[in-house]
Amino acid sequence: MRAGAWLGSALLAAQLAAPSYDVVLRGGRVVDPASGLDAIRTVAITGKKIAAVSTDPLKGRIEIDATGLVVAPGFIDLHSHGQTPEAYRYKAMDGVTTALELEVGASPISEWYKAREGKALIHFGASAGHIPARMAVMKDSGSLLPRDAAVNRAATGDEQKLIEAAVRRDLDEGGLGMGMGIAYTPTAAPDEILSLFTLAASFKRPVFVHMRGGNVVASIQEVVADAAVTGVPLHIVHINSAATAKTPVALQMIDGARARGLDVTTEAYPYIASMTEIASAAYSGWEQREPEYFARLLWPATGERLTRESFARYRAQGGFVIQFGNTEEMVRAAIAHPSVMIASDGIIENGKGHPRGAGTFARVLGVYVREQKALSLMDAVRKSSLLPAQRLEAMAPAMRQKGRLAVGADADIAVFDPARVIDRATFENAAQYSDGFRFVLVEGTLVVRDGKLQDGVTPGQAVRAQ
Ligand SMILES: [Zn+2]
């Protein structure tokens, strides 16, 4: 046998003996914020895990050409009110592989998890919700958010005990920290809030909070002070819409708290308008508003701008309203800030909602990275995957395997075209899938393939605190 022929057959034998993987993503630009890797690699998946990240040509049962595409850890949305099969489809098409309801949270939480287990397209989880607990104990008639009893009056001592017992039970049953929306329960006095922070601290779990309404500086002072005295890790939700024109001072305060050693984080979504329930405390005192105020409100169910008259009618009826209240400059400041995570605050229901429910992550990549160059691609991926995973991993060790594109990590992967990725959801028509996510995998299962949602797959797992 000639030497060349022998070498050839040896190579063939080696190739035949080489492990064959379940899925191989070949030749994409692998972006892994944990290691800093940003290079052309082939990624191989066995079962639910990443088995290889290599410059070698690997073999797989399913082989995907990822040339020209970015291969990133799947995105982790810390603030997703949409927790239905419908909402999960928009998330998956936006690169999200884990969607968590941490602001409002859930109560009773075991029922919430049970309703989704084995049925979800992507991973899911919730915090122990102070809002739903307070609504149940105080017999508020609202749906997602309070609209009467839990808004209008203080809880009695007995009610406070019952609310805390519900939150404690939900933390015991795996709640991912405690969710709070003080702006929606304005009659919850500072003592009541401090007592709840103390409860979360006893579990060593974070508080995810929509701060009190009114003065932004005072609202941040309240939650940062409560975090300092209780030791609770603090996450302030949607700093863009919570702080609006005061976003720079809000970011400065959070940076300052972190510099002083406090565990304080925040998040933002890339839109100049917010959305909340029209019957909630966000609109207490609406009777005193000027006509221009109502013109900044959009009713997504019909697409109309509101007047005093239509506002009154819809407030009595209930539902979501969109409010234009921020500037591009403030949104960009929050999105580009290095430690601010990306989180959608989104919900799409029966084809209606705010575009953030469908377009948040594509919009950051398309508008703020590609078009405006306000931040790097690596930073955008970090803020959408690694930072949220790190926020959760002390209480939920499963998150140590997410937000990373490395051997041994969960095969939650978003593959997108960096030249094309963009949001398509608009304020007039929010229920539009993002463009540019070519492949999305949830623990090794393709939920998006060639830009198309896959039917009949439910690889999503519950994320819980331990
Ligand atoms: Zn909120």
Side-chain angles (χ1 to χ4, degrees):
M1 189 186 280
R2 288 181 297 115
W6 181 86
L7 189 61
S9 59
L11 275 173
L12 184 66
Q15 274 172 11
L16 288 172
S20 185
Y21 299 98
D22 290 330
V23 182
V24 165
L25 301 161
R26 179 160 299 130
R29 176 183 167 191
V30 171
V31 173
D32 175 36
S35 63
L37 178 70
D38 181 351
I40 305 300
R41 293 284 186 274
T42 289
V43 175
I45 295 152
T46 299
K48 297 177 174 184
K49 298 279 183 186
I50 295 173
V53 179
S54 173
T55 52
D56 296 336
L58 305 172
K59 288 281 188 196
R61 204 164 44 77
I62 298 172
E63 299 197 353
I64 291 165
D65 181 6
T67 307
L69 305 178
V70 169
V71 179
F75 301 151
I76 298 164
D77 187 351
L78 294 178
H79 195 150
S80 183
H81 297 300
Q83 293 285 340
T84 61
E86 179 187 18
Y88 292 158
R89 288 195 286 274
Y90 291 97
K91 296 274 101 189
M93 288 294 280
D94 202 30
V96 174
T97 52
T98 303
L100 306 172
E101 163 55 283
L102 301 183
E103 180 204 41
V104 173
S107 186
I109 207 163
S110 55
E111 286 176 23
W112 188 93
Y113 275 105
K114 212 167 143 203
R116 287 160 184 82
E117 232 141 3
K119 300 177 195 158
L121 185 67
I122 58 175
H123 306 311
F124 56 91
S127 62
H130 170 244
I131 288 176
R134 196 173 206 268
M135 285 169 69
V137 169
M138 298 179 72
K139 305 196 173 16
D140 190 282
S141 73
S143 48
L144 179 69
L145 299 170
R147 64 183 296 166
D148 39 48
V151 177
N152 297 333
R153 64 178 181 85
T156 65
D158 284 347
E159 284 174 332
Q160 281 185 43
K161 279 189 197 122
L162 289 170
I163 293 166
E164 290 201 11
V167 172
R168 182 188 302 278
R169 173 203 61 207
D170 294 329
L171 287 166
D172 265 330
E173 293 176 358
L176 292 166
M178 181 174 66
M180 299 190 88
I182 313 175
Y184 297 116
T185 57
T187 46
D191 328 41
E192 189 177 337
I193 302 304
L194 176 61
S195 178
L196 286 153
F197 270 57
T198 306
L199 172 60
S202 73
F203 282 79
K204 297 193 166 52
R205 305 230 187 118
V207 170
F208 299 86
V209 62
H210 179 151
M211 307 179 297
R212 204 178 282 286
N215 184 291
V216 170
V217 170
S219 301
I220 297 176
Q221 285 170 339
E222 177 181 26
V223 290
V224 169
D226 286 357
V229 299
T230 60
V232 96
L234 174 69
H235 183 84
I236 298 174
V237 302
H238 50 50
I239 199 66
N240 54 305
S241 59
T244 59
K246 290 190 177 166
T247 297
V249 68
L251 292 171
Q252 190 190 326
M253 290 175 77
I254 293 167
D255 283 345
R258 291 162 65 87
R260 251 52 71 186
L262 291 178
D263 184 1
V264 182
T265 55
T266 190
E267 57 171 56
Y269 58 85
Y271 294 89
I272 57 168
S274 56
M275 183 177 81
T276 194
E277 283 192 332
I278 195 168
S280 75
Y283 296 104
S284 298
W286 65 274
E287 296 89 341
Q288 280 75 54
R289 297 287 187 177
E290 299 297 317
E292 303 83 74
Y293 178 83
F294 300 101
R296 291 201 297 270
L297 302 177
L298 183 152
W299 190 246
T302 60
E304 73 192 279
R305 292 292 184 135
L306 298 190
T307 61
R308 179 180 297 278
E309 290 67 38
S310 55
F311 181 92
R313 186 155 33 85
Y314 288 133
R315 184 162 158 98
Q317 175 193 319
F320 286 111
V321 64
I322 287 173
Q323 177 168 359
F324 290 85
N326 209 352
T327 64
E328 248 322 309
E329 189 190 354
M330 291 301 121
V331 172
R332 188 162 46 244
I335 295 295
H337 189 280
S339 62
V340 175
M341 300 170 205
I342 308 301
S344 74
D345 194 7
I347 181 167
I348 303 282
E349 243 179 17
N350 303 317
K352 300 290 180 192
H354 184 298
R356 66 195 182 190
T360 287
F361 293 86
R363 185 170 175 79
V364 168
L365 293 166
V367 174
Y368 295 90
V369 174
R370 186 178 60 238
E371 292 173 10
Q372 298 188 2
K373 299 182 172 48
L375 71 168
S376 70
L377 179 69
M378 178 64 87
D379 280 339
V381 170
R382 174 184 295 112
K383 290 147 70 72
S384 305
S385 59
L386 180 65
L387 293 184
Q390 290 174 328
R391 172 75 287 184
L392 303 171
E393 62 192 28
M395 66 171 158
M399 297 309 290
R400 295 205 173 94
Q401 311 308 323
K402 299 194 185 296
R404 283 94 170 161
L405 205 307
V407 173
D410 290 341
D412 294 342
I413 301 175
V415 182
F416 59 91
D417 182 346
R420 180 169 165 175
V421 64
I422 198 74
D423 56 308
R424 291 169 63 236
T426 63
F427 289 106
E428 291 69 35
N429 184 4
Q432 299 194 77
Y433 294 135
S434 291
D435 189 18
F437 285 93
R438 303 297 302 156
F439 301 91
V440 178
L441 295 99
V442 174
E443 291 198 352
T445 298
L446 282 156
V447 298
V448 175
R449 188 170 189 169
D450 293 318
K452 302 243 165 6
L453 269 173
Q454 300 299 286
D455 286 329
V457 290
T458 52
Q461 302 291 315
V463 180
R464 285 190 175 85
Q466 289 182 352

